[in-house]
Amino acid sequence: MEGFTGIMLILLSSILVNNFVLSRFLGVCPFLGVSKRVETALGMGFAVTFVMALASVISYLVHYYILVPLNIEYMQTIAFILVIAALVQLVEMALQKLVPSLYKALGVYLPLITTNCAVLGVAIINITKEFTLIQTLFNGVGAAIGLTLAIVLFAGIRERLELSNVPEAMKGFPIALISAGLMAMAFLGFQGLI
Amino acid sequence: MFNEIILPVAALGSLGLILGLGLAVASKLLAVKVDPKIEQVRELLPGANCGACGYPGCDGFAKATCEGVAQVGACTVLSEEDLGEIAELLGVEAKMGERRVARVLCRGDEENCASKFEYYGVSDCRAAAMLAGGPSSCRFSCVGMMTCAKVCPFDAIYLNEVGIAEVNEAKCTGCGRCVVACPKDAIEVMDEKNITYINCRNTDKGKAVTSVCKAGCFGCTLCEKRCPQDAITMVDNLPVYDYDKCTHCGVCAVVCPKGSIALKTPITQTAVISEDPCTGCGVCKKVCPTKAIKGEPGELHVVNPDKCSACNICVEKCPEDAIELCDK
């Protein structure tokens, strides 16, 4: 799994086959929280993509250039959370300055990326799979694209659900959770792709 | 020792430090300019976050006023001084909104309105109201467990001596939280200047009301008929006031057989007929909306001060100018 083919496989795997939300069940919080409208879902997707790509690379560097030489790999989780938290702060500041409308739309979910298991998950998976730096970057981006794809598709479904005639007891989150489950089952179909 | 404890602490500590410094630099570089007025206005606002203005908290209201969306006067809590200061800061005209207060519309205390059962549950109106509509026999009655007082951010509601919630209108800002909290919908927010109002929420008819409460409005329509200004219409067996017409003359409060109509300022005057010019023509007796004047034709007429609301109608109508209002 070297070179271009390897990278394409990693991308395909992280976007479709091992989709972070729908097959690894990571990052379900923003998946349900920010999927009311396609626009905000897309914005959240971009924020996550940015954070994930950066977090992957930096956590990789932290792991191989700080933790491994010092023989403190067991501090991986804490170190990664530290890096991710700092990154999210940075993204938040940048968004507030550059894209205030997006900053407003994302609201509380942007700080929530800090404690998002999807971001931490991708950083740890990169290390356990022993990816190279390039592979790490693509795995991070792929995972984020997968998450964005899932959120945006789901937001589209939920926008239609708003207009449809749902039984009283199923309105809101119940029907959203059921649709999420159905989506996850649909994504099972990608399992044989690789 | 070094490898196990100091090294990881130092490594993570310095990592954190570097990231922190990076963030500090970034926050300077990426600082967003916020209108300093918003902060200043926010400082002057009461900070109760009561929501009476219709915005999410004082922060939201400060932002809205600075953007010119909201009127400063919409804050009902603001003192006139602070209002003036904010108006000056923003360069707008200070206009105080009509002061609004909450009023508990119920007189169903233990004496007037008997209990259906003894309630031994959670001391909360909402819980009590769920149990067969609450212990009070009137389904519109104040439960008296002070859920409204618990939600009041201004500590303006207290339990009066007869066991009904009462609003201290000096402290009340009309934010309406008690209205939302009250399970009986017994509280209403109204303009403070409207001192005449129906002190009952029971929409039932005649006997259904009198059988549960001695002080409840049973829809006799006397107030509607006697109102000299025609300001009252009966809706759902309760009088509804048209405050554009109402002069707060107090006639309705006097004629109400149950005393259900509140008149916040007591009637201090009464009409007095002088013996000398009175010819006993009977005009005053005829026009008096509260039927407070008695007298035989041709003889001196007399006003019953307990029934007189000092509405001034007889004074105006007397052909001999024999009547004037005096302090009681």
Side-chain angles (χ1 to χ4, degrees):
Chain A
M1 290 238 293
E2 286 300 312
F4 185 70
T5 333
I7 284 167
M8 285 319 282
L9 275 178
I10 285 174
L11 271 180
L12 200 62
S13 148
S14 54
I15 296 174
L16 294 177
V17 183
N18 292 318
N19 185 291
F20 257 59
V21 180
L22 298 171
S23 82
R24 286 195 208 266
F25 308 116
L26 293 169
V28 175
C29 171
F31 181 66
L32 289 172
V34 204
S35 54
K36 284 238 173 84
R37 283 177 51 223
V38 172
E39 269 170 63
T40 39
L42 209 58
M44 182 72 182
F46 285 134
V48 172
T49 310
F50 185 49
V51 172
M52 270 200 183
L54 274 175
S56 297
V57 173
I58 294 185
S59 60
Y60 177 91
L61 297 177
V62 166
H63 184 81
Y64 284 106
Y65 294 99
I66 298 178
L67 301 183
V68 173
L70 295 175
N71 256 332
I72 47 169
E73 288 101 324
Y74 58 88
M75 298 300 266
Q76 197 189 44
T77 313
I78 297 177
F80 286 3
I81 287 176
L82 198 67
V83 172
I84 293 165
L87 263 178
V88 173
Q89 287 292 313
L90 189 72
V91 171
E92 202 177 343
M93 279 189 265
L95 274 184
Q96 199 176 4
K97 173 89 175 172
L98 304 171
V99 206
S101 56
L102 184 58
Y103 174 78
K104 237 180 164 179
L106 290 177
V108 72
Y109 293 101
L110 195 58
L112 275 183
I113 309 179
T114 318
T115 45
N116 193 338
C117 49
V119 183
L120 184 64
V122 77
I124 290 178
I125 287 168
N126 287 334
I127 305 300
T128 46
K129 289 229 171 146
E130 294 177 347
F131 284 148
T132 64
L133 184 57
I134 302 292
Q135 285 172 329
T136 291
L137 177 63
F138 277 97
N139 190 40
V141 172
I145 293 175
L147 191 118
T148 312
L149 181 74
I151 288 193
V152 171
L153 287 178
F154 191 50
I157 292 175
R158 279 183 82 177
E159 275 188 0
R160 281 170 197 231
L161 277 177
E162 289 285 310
L163 304 173
S164 58
N165 189 12
V166 179
E168 193 59 45
M170 300 295 284
K171 268 183 189 154
F173 272 113
I175 194 73
L177 283 167
I178 288 174
S179 345
L182 290 174
M183 268 183 88
M185 283 207 271
F187 267 67
L188 262 181
F190 289 119
Q191 217 56 264
L193 207 61
I194 294 180
Chain B
M1 167 70 182
F2 177 77
N3 273 340
E4 286 83 21
I5 298 171
I6 297 174
L7 186 71
V9 170
L12 282 184
S14 43
L15 184 67
L17 201 66
I18 292 165
L19 289 171
L21 284 175
L23 279 180
V25 173
S27 73
K28 281 272 178 242
L29 287 179
L30 295 170
V32 178
K33 270 195 196 132
V34 186
D35 190 347
K37 273 188 199 160
I38 297 180
E39 192 63 28
Q40 284 168 297
V41 172
R42 174 66 190 79
E43 288 290 310
L44 288 167
L45 287 175
N49 292 320
C50 66
C53 54
Y55 286 89
C58 294
D59 285 324
F61 183 63
K63 199 154 175 276
T65 45
C66 289
E67 284 163 2
V69 186
Q71 288 285 322
V72 192
C75 179
T76 54
V77 193
L78 210 55
S79 70
E80 256 171 73
E81 270 170 58
D82 288 341
L83 176 75
E85 247 179 274
I86 294 178
E88 201 180 315
L89 195 71
L90 298 175
V92 295
E93 202 181 323
K95 215 166 66 191
M96 205 71 173
E98 191 62 57
R99 204 175 121 73
R100 286 169 75 76
V101 290
R103 281 169 183 159
V104 182
L105 306 180
C106 181
R107 294 173 64 235
D109 54 36
E110 195 57 37
E111 184 140 321
N112 288 329
C113 183
S115 295
K116 278 186 291 201
F117 54 84
E118 290 270 331
Y119 175 76
Y120 290 103
V122 185
S123 185
D124 186 284
C125 301
R126 287 168 289 200
M130 269 187 244
L131 197 69
S136 166
S137 48
C138 171
R139 63 195 168 101
F140 300 91
S141 157
C142 166
V143 184
M145 287 178 188
M146 306 312 285
T147 297
C148 46
K150 280 171 214 151
V151 299
C152 179
F154 302 101
D155 200 19
I157 306 182
Y158 61 96
L159 196 66
N160 66 12
E161 57 281 356
V162 292
I164 288 182
E166 201 163 313
V167 179
N168 179 344
E169 293 188 9
K171 285 185 180 173
C172 179
T173 65
C175 71
R177 286 209 186 173
C178 48
V179 177
V180 177
C182 179
K184 295 305 192 94
D185 196 22
I187 309 178
E188 193 175 307
V189 175
M190 49 181 98
D191 288 353
E192 194 188 22
K193 62 170 187 186
N194 295 335
I195 52 168
T196 320
Y197 56 92
I198 175 68
N199 213 346
C200 180
R201 284 289 221 192
N202 198 323
T203 53
D204 287 343
K205 267 192 184 153
K207 194 161 179 296
V209 182
T210 45
S211 61
V212 293
C213 182
K214 286 181 197 155
C217 168
F218 63 104
C220 68
T221 72
L222 212 53
C223 49
E224 183 189 23
K225 285 180 195 139
R226 297 284 182 82
C227 177
Q229 316 299 332
D230 233 355
I232 300 176
T233 39
M234 296 298 288
V235 178
D236 282 342
N237 303 312
L238 285 174
V240 173
Y241 284 82
D242 178 352
Y243 286 114
D244 290 337
K245 290 183 186 166
C246 178
T247 58
H248 305 285
C249 64
V251 167
C252 48
V254 172
V255 299
C256 179
K258 296 287 181 180
S260 311
I261 294 173
L263 187 64
K264 276 276 163 178
T265 46
I267 299 163
T268 54
Q269 287 184 308
T270 182
V272 175
I273 306 173
S274 315
E275 200 171 343
D276 186 20
C278 177
T279 59
C281 66
V283 169
C284 52
K285 188 176 160 187
K286 219 168 159 188
V287 295
C288 178
T290 60
K291 307 250 182 288
I293 303 176
K294 289 220 154 52
E296 294 302 314
E299 288 170 28
L300 172 68
H301 282 52
V302 183
V303 180
N304 177 359
D306 291 337
K307 287 174 98 181
C308 175
S309 71
C311 64
N312 209 33
I313 290 174
C314 52
V315 180
E316 284 165 16
K317 293 281 159 131
C318 179
E320 309 294 332
D321 283 334
I323 312 175
E324 57 183 359
L325 291 180
C326 301
D327 286 339
K328 264 185 191 172

